[in-house]
Amino acid sequence: MKFEIQNWADISAKYDQATLFMGNGASIAISDSFNYTSLLVEAEKSGNIKTQVAKLFGFFKTNDFELILRLVWQAAKVNQSLEVKDDATRQAYIEIRDSLIRTVQRIHPSHDAIARHLPKMHGFVKNFQTVLSFNYDLILYWMMMHGNGQNDDHGYKDCFLGEGIFSGNWARMREPIRDKKKTTLVFYPHGNLALSKTLMGADRKILTRDSDDLLESIIDHWKQGEVTPLFVSEGTAEQKIDSISQSRYLGAVLNEVYRGIGESIVIYGWGIGEQDQYDLSALRDLGVRPKNVAISVYKENQDACDYACRAITKKLGTEIHVQFFRSDSPDCWIY
């Protein structure tokens, strides 16, 4: 079966105020530095992970930096509180933390490097009611800061309050503030670099008023040793579900925000890999039955169309109308 692949402008009106799912392809479109296998592989390539610490990833059967970092961090804190002499755990934590910092610094572009794309991104994203980004990077965060600073009638909210605490009554934040007339709510189902977890398990957003210094501010918080990153970077579906279940924020996104997804969904840059299809399963289990799904396609890839169509209809039902559009068509994302 040959799938029709349209330009975004041909179908965009149908998806005004829809829900946007964003995957790593959106970040790769901005910088090739995001086109990597995994953070662990990148750390190993640079020699930042020593053999002894690498065994931890094998023991827990995961490539997820965030998970291992949090486990070792908690173990070090427990030993400290019980006055257990244990330099090995503390040193393992420092090595993993510093390796993550160096790897993220090497991969992540600066704000200046992507600033020219922000106006186009704002023009695209503001047409959606809800955005769900699977990317851990700061690109969408920077776009929100840019968009909220523009003299137009549209604003963005991520539903974190002044102290970096996620609002339990997040739905009320759809109400525009000040001179804005519309609001797009942005969520991170798999976490984000800007999100952290305290020793007591509380989820917090790392705050800064200066977009240029955001990445450095995040890294400074990590170095202080009082928080760990909250992002599910890799791992199997089961491991991701376990991480999500331990976070109030991620759990609220999965169980509450997903429930409110409307009849139309746009997927941009998300390959719907086997390890990520639990997000579709979650929609099905919540009784969410969208009627229309538009999926971006890179370079007219018919195989990708076939795979995506099968994944969507298998998880959400064959009655869904699936469309495809060119990922680099005019007025789409950064194009």
Side-chain angles (χ1 to χ4, degrees):
M1 175 182 177
K2 185 174 177 61
F3 295 89
E4 180 184 9
I5 304 174
Q6 304 179 76
N7 287 326
W8 172 244
D10 297 332
I11 64 172
S12 59
K14 183 177 180 179
Y15 293 93
D16 184 53
Q17 298 305 300
T19 295
L20 173 65
F21 281 88
M22 297 183 64
N24 196 46
S27 298
I28 293 173
I30 293 172
S31 173
D32 284 337
S33 63
F34 289 115
N35 192 10
Y36 59 87
T37 303
S38 75
L39 287 175
L40 177 60
V41 170
E42 292 300 311
E44 290 173 334
K45 283 181 181 178
S46 60
N48 290 333
I49 293 289
K50 296 178 181 178
T51 303
Q52 197 65 24
V53 171
K55 290 181 179 179
L56 288 168
F57 291 88
F59 180 82
F60 288 102
K61 298 179 180 179
T62 184
N63 290 335
D64 192 345
F65 243 116
E66 184 267 345
L67 172 62
I68 296 298
L69 185 65
R70 190 188 330 146
L71 289 172
V72 178
W73 178 61
Q74 289 172 336
K77 290 293 187 180
V78 169
N79 288 339
Q80 180 182 358
S81 67
L82 295 177
E83 299 182 353
V84 175
K85 293 183 178 181
D86 179 17
D87 290 337
T89 303
R90 173 64 180 169
Q91 287 304 313
Y93 164 70
I94 293 174
E95 181 182 328
I96 297 168
R97 181 201 65 192
D98 290 351
S99 178
L100 176 62
I101 289 172
R102 287 192 292 270
T103 304
V104 168
Q105 284 177 321
R106 186 160 59 87
I107 289 174
H108 205 294
S110 67
H111 177 269
D112 287 345
I114 66 102
R116 62 189 176 91
H117 296 298
L118 296 177
K120 279 279 190 180
M121 292 163 60
H122 171 52
F124 175 67
V125 177
K126 71 178 184 179
N127 295 303
F128 298 95
Q129 185 178 58
T130 304
V131 177
L132 295 150
S133 173
F134 296 130
N135 303 329
Y136 77 87
D137 60 65
L138 301 175
I139 290 174
L140 193 60
Y141 194 145
W142 282 330
M143 187 281 299
M144 292 170 61
M145 296 178 76
H146 167 83
N148 284 336
Q150 299 306 298
N151 186 26
D152 63 17
D153 63 357
H154 198 91
Y156 299 95
K157 299 178 187 178
D158 57 16
C159 300
F160 281 87
L161 304 175
E163 298 299 317
I165 300 172
F166 181 64
S167 172
N169 189 15
W170 59 266
R172 69 178 175 84
M173 301 190 78
R174 289 199 182 277
E175 186 68 26
I177 59 172
R178 295 190 289 274
D179 58 340
K180 306 299 183 181
K181 295 180 180 179
K182 293 183 180 179
T183 301
T184 295
L185 297 188
V186 176
F187 301 94
Y188 303 98
H190 299 172
N192 187 263
L193 284 178
L195 305 183
S196 64
K197 185 175 285 293
T198 69
L199 180 61
M200 300 308 294
D203 300 330
R204 292 289 185 270
K205 176 185 172 183
I206 297 173
L207 303 173
T208 180
R209 294 185 180 275
D210 191 341
S211 57
D212 294 342
D213 295 334
L214 179 56
L215 184 57
E216 288 305 314
S217 178
I218 290 166
I219 288 172
D220 285 345
H221 277 78
W222 294 354
K223 287 180 177 178
Q224 291 170 17
E226 296 304 316
V227 298
T228 58
L230 177 60
F231 67 94
V232 187
S233 56
E234 286 107 25
T236 65
E238 291 76 15
Q239 289 166 341
K240 289 182 177 181
I241 292 171
D242 183 59
S243 293
I244 289 170
S245 67
Q246 297 179 47
S247 164
R248 176 176 174 268
Y249 169 75
L250 298 182
V253 174
L254 187 66
N255 296 305
E256 298 174 19
V257 178
Y258 275 30
R259 193 184 299 275
I261 288 174
E263 295 185 348
S264 298
I265 292 174
V266 173
I267 294 174
Y268 189 88
W270 183 34
I272 320 179
E274 289 288 341
Q275 72 277 12
D276 292 326
Q277 290 188 18
Y278 71 88
D279 289 281
L280 297 179
S281 298
L283 293 179
R284 178 195 62 207
D285 295 343
L286 290 168
V288 177
R289 294 292 186 270
K291 294 181 179 179
N292 304 292
V293 177
I295 305 172
S296 70
V297 180
Y298 180 64
K299 291 189 175 180
E300 307 281 335
N301 191 329
Q302 287 288 320
D303 289 339
C305 293
D306 182 65
Y307 174 84
C309 188
R310 290 176 183 271
I312 291 291
T313 55
K314 178 181 178 181
K315 295 294 185 180
L316 299 180
T318 56
E319 68 278 7
I320 293 178
H321 180 222
V322 180
Q323 293 180 281
F324 297 95
F325 64 97
R326 296 174 182 86
S327 61
D328 59 352
S329 52
D331 296 325
C332 181
W333 189 223
I334 62 171
Y335 300 100

